[in-house]
């Protein structure tokens, strides 16, 4: 054993046990997901793909017993794929079933890689991509100038309106005038369910590829409490697998279209999107897949296909709504006035005159973990964001309900009031306030210990 590293892992276990994880993009995996990730599959190289026989759009056999037994010729560059092939085929078929897709690529190492592969599959350098403004809730990989993609492609941004919803009129105007190759709907701080039909109609007028980055809400889609863009005319959906979907840290691309051999160079047509994407992931943008993570994805998709996951997804949204309404009652101003999904964006500056960063740091002291977040009013380069972003996926996994959401919102009010008294971020560590923070911290730990992390994980 490596004492130093494992001591730190133990310490992280305690932090997770004793604190409440309110970052809306984090979750707690099951022990089965954890075991698959920590398995000998990490020893294996498997560039390429397994056979798609039995899991192609026309067949849709979903026969897991057959998939786990059948050994088929593959498109790999190394030998010894007998087990890896069957594991990856299981992951692919479960993902397709979960999201009503014609094809799934389970190899992206992250959501950023998944997005990059789709751009690479469909666009040439300089092509236009229409995506949501980062300051309005979009994501770095949707065209932030600091990313590689933004140096290769020409991103154009649409924003949100005063109600916190997508400004669909602006989106349509930009789509018709700029004629982007891709229209991208996706976000990391947005509380509404997008009108996918409306965007699909706009995209179809100009023949754009319709892409949805559903990293935040994939678990809600899988659980049936959020619209699925693939059911509304979208061609591609990317996601991470570790947020509401509660799997290992990684990426996933789902698509509609035809699945052919990845060996043949396909024409760039919407029908060929699955295979264009496969080629864009490997060899286009990635090397060897992480088969231990793919096995853990298969386990997580299997868990998400179970009826209890539907209940989990319903509870995430129910809890987020309860949290939002108690926060409003406690004097907090919420972006968009509330939430339709798992996350809440609080304008702390407008509510209590406190910066998002100061509030984040103060809450950290009592074991409530969330993140400072820019709001549309902060503009693009927000080093002192006015808001914080929080959500309910992780605490719902622990079994918490409406009562606990109200308690958390009450603690947030208490901490906001302490911050008002303290005045500035630099004085947060002032000895005068240690006791105030300690009192709340003890209560947080007491509640956290009543709701353990998934069995066998800590
Ligand atoms: N970093 C993720 C989030 O927190 O939303 C998105 O990639």
């Amino acid at each position: 054993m490596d004492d130093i590293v494992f001591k730190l892992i133990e310490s992280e276990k305690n932090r997770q046990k004793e604190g409440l994880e309110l970052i809306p993009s984090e979750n707690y995996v099951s022990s089965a997901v954890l075991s698959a990730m920590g398995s000998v599959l990490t020893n294996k190289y498997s560039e390429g793909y397994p056979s798609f026989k039995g899991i192609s759009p026309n067949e849709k056999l979903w026969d897991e017993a057959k998939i786990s037994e059948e050994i088929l010729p593959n498109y790999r560059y190394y030998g010894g794929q007998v087990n890896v092939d069957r594991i990856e085929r299981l992951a692919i078929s479960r993902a397709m079933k979960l999201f009503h897709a014609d094809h799934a690529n389970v190899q992206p190492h992250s959501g950023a890689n998944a997005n990059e592969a789709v751009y690479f599959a469909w666009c040439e350098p300089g092509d236009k991509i229409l995506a949501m403004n980062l300051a309005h809730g979009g994501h770095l990989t949707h065209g932030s100038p600091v990313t590689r993609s933004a140096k290769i492609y020409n991103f154009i941004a649409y924003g949100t309106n005063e109600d916190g919803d997508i400004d669909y009129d602006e989106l349509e105007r930009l789509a018709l005038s700029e004629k982007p190759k891709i229209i991208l709907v996706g976000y990391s701080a947005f509380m509404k369910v997008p009108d996918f039909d409306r965007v699909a109609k706009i995209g179809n007028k100009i023949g754009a590829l319709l892409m949805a980055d559903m990293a935040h809400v994939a678990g809600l889609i899988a659980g049936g409490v959020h619209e699925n863009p693939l059911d509304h005319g979208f061609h591609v959906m990317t996601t991470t697998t570790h947020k509401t979907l509660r799997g290992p840290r990684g990426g996933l691309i789902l698509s509609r279209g035809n699945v052919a051999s990845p060996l043949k160079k396909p024409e760039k047509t919407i029908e060929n999107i699955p295979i264009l994407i496969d080629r864009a992931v490997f060899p286009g943008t990635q090397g060897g897949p992480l088969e231990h993570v793919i096995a853990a994805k298969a386990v997580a998709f299997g868990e998400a296909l179970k009826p209890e996951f539907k209940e989990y997804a319903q509870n995430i949204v129910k809890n987020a709504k309860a949290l939002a309404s108690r926060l409003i009652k406690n004097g907090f101003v919420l972006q968009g006035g509330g939430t339709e999904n798992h996350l809440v964006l609080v304008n702390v500056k407008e509510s209590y005159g406190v910066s998002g960063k100061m509030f984040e740091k103060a809450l950290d002291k009592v074991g409530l973990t969330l993140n400072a977040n820019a709001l549309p009013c902060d503009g693009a380069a927000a080093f002192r964001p006015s808001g914080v972003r929080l959500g309910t996926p992780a605490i719902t996994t622990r079994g918490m309900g409406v009562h606990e959401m109200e308690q958390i919102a009450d603690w947030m009010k208490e901490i906001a009031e302490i911050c008002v008294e303290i005045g500035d971020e630099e004085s947060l560590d002032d000895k005068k306030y240690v006791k105030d923070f300690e009192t709340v911290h003890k209560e947080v730990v007491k509640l956290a210990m009543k709701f353990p992390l998934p069995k066998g994980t800590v």
Side-chain angles (χ1 to χ4, degrees):
M1 277 290 180
D2 183 322
D3 288 345
I4 298 182
V5 172
F6 282 92
K7 209 169 134 197
L8 288 169
I9 293 176
E10 281 309 306
S11 166
E12 174 61 11
K13 280 185 190 171
N14 281 334
R15 188 194 70 81
Q16 293 193 10
K17 268 197 294 199
E18 293 178 359
L20 296 184
E21 189 51 73
L22 300 172
I23 294 175
S25 47
E26 294 191 11
N27 214 327
Y28 305 107
V29 298
S30 69
S31 65
V33 168
L34 216 49
S35 302
M37 259 190 291
S39 68
V40 292
L41 290 165
T42 193
N43 297 336
K44 191 75 200 93
Y45 253 127
S46 41
E47 274 112 323
Y49 291 99
S51 163
F52 300 126
K53 190 171 169 282
I55 51 172
S56 71
N58 304 331
E59 295 164 280
K60 282 192 176 155
L61 298 176
W62 317 123
D63 185 344
E64 295 214 342
K66 201 164 171 214
I67 293 173
S68 67
E69 280 161 20
E70 218 171 5
I71 297 167
L72 297 166
N74 59 22
Y75 314 103
R76 306 271 198 189
Y77 287 80
Y78 290 82
Q81 307 294 336
V82 56
N83 300 306
V84 157
D85 272 356
R86 290 179 288 172
I87 288 168
E88 192 166 332
R89 279 161 51 75
L90 273 176
I92 292 169
S93 72
R94 286 180 184 178
M96 287 165 67
K97 191 173 184 183
L98 206 47
F99 295 102
H100 317 155
D102 291 335
H103 186 53
N105 187 306
V106 296
Q107 294 192 3
H109 302 334
S110 68
N113 287 21
N115 287 342
E116 171 123 31
V118 178
Y119 305 150
F120 186 66
W122 192 242
C123 294
E124 297 298 328
D127 278 352
K128 291 176 184 168
I129 300 174
L130 180 59
M132 195 194 259
N133 189 334
L134 176 63
H136 290 223
H139 188 254
L140 268 179
T141 60
H142 300 171
S144 164
V146 297
T147 62
R148 181 173 53 175
S149 306
K151 298 197 188 325
I152 301 174
Y153 310 109
N154 181 4
F155 282 85
I156 300 152
Y158 61 87
T160 52
N161 57 27
E162 276 174 13
D163 301 329
D165 206 351
I166 292 173
D167 187 341
Y168 293 100
D169 293 336
E170 184 191 32
L171 189 153
E172 176 156 22
R173 186 177 52 73
L174 288 169
L176 298 182
S177 61
E178 300 286 346
K179 304 218 169 20
K181 289 288 287 288
I182 296 179
I183 297 182
L184 169 53
V185 172
Y187 39 81
S188 56
F190 180 68
M191 290 69 59
K192 311 262 183 203
V193 177
D195 186 344
F196 294 119
D197 285 330
R198 188 162 174 192
V199 180
K201 222 164 137 190
I202 297 168
N204 289 337
K205 282 189 197 170
I206 55 165
L209 182 82
L210 293 159
M211 171 181 176
D213 176 349
M214 296 287 99
H216 263 262
V217 292
L220 304 185
I221 294 172
V225 294
H226 190 289
E227 298 296 329
N228 179 344
L230 296 180
D231 292 340
H232 293 271
F234 271 60
H235 308 112
V236 181
M237 172 177 145
T238 57
T239 180
T240 49
T241 45
H242 49 271
K243 298 187 173 92
T244 45
L245 198 48
R246 213 164 58 184
R249 199 155 281 280
L252 169 69
I253 308 175
L254 301 138
S255 51
R256 287 244 178 261
N258 241 332
V259 181
S261 155
L263 295 179
K264 285 193 208 117
K265 190 160 186 248
E267 265 181 73
K268 272 199 184 176
T269 63
I270 295 262
E271 258 302 279
N272 284 339
I273 263 297
I275 218 67
L276 289 166
I277 285 171
D278 278 353
R279 291 171 64 100
V281 172
F282 175 82
T285 52
Q286 284 193 173
L290 312 175
E291 291 296 342
H292 56 305
V293 178
I294 288 172
K297 287 175 186 172
V299 173
F301 301 155
E303 290 174 357
L305 282 164
K306 290 189 180 145
E308 47 270 38
F309 197 84
K310 284 196 168 29
E311 202 185 324
Y312 167 59
Q314 284 159 9
N315 286 337
I316 292 178
V317 178
K318 190 170 155 201
N319 282 344
K321 285 181 193 283
L323 181 66
S325 58
R326 187 65 158 227
L327 284 168
I328 292 171
K329 197 165 161 237
N330 286 351
F332 287 100
V333 178
L334 304 193
Q335 189 70 15
T339 186
E340 291 176 359
N341 55 30
H342 64 300
L343 79 80
V344 176
L345 202 52
V346 184
N347 189 334
V348 205
K349 193 86 189 165
E350 193 182 331
S351 320
Y352 283 86
V354 172
S355 81
K357 201 69 202 169
M358 178 174 182
F359 197 41
E360 175 203 290
K361 284 187 177 170
L363 288 167
D364 231 0
K365 285 180 178 292
V366 300
L368 296 175
T369 311
L370 45 63
N371 66 283
N373 212 92
L375 301 174
C377 59
D378 291 326
F383 293 112
R384 311 291 300 167
S386 303
V388 292
R389 188 187 68 151
L390 67 158
T392 53
I395 47 179
T396 306
T397 292
R398 289 177 89 149
M400 293 186 184
V402 169
H403 177 70
E404 288 73 33
M405 300 307 119
E406 291 174 348
Q407 174 63 79
I408 290 166
D410 290 352
W411 282 326
M412 286 175 68
K413 178 175 190 254
E414 219 176 314
I415 300 300
E417 285 167 350
I418 297 174
C419 285
V420 172
E421 206 189 317
I422 295 175
D424 59 274
E425 200 180 315
E426 288 66 40
S427 310
L428 271 174
D429 293 329
D430 198 316
K431 281 200 200 94
K432 264 199 293 188
Y433 306 104
V434 170
K435 200 146 189 282
D436 292 334
F437 287 126
E438 252 177 32
T439 311
V440 181
H441 186 212
K442 276 191 190 135
E443 290 173 28
V444 171
V445 174
K446 204 165 144 199
L447 180 73
M449 296 312 271
K450 276 202 232 160
F451 293 89
L453 264 56
K455 224 167 143 191
T457 60
V458 285

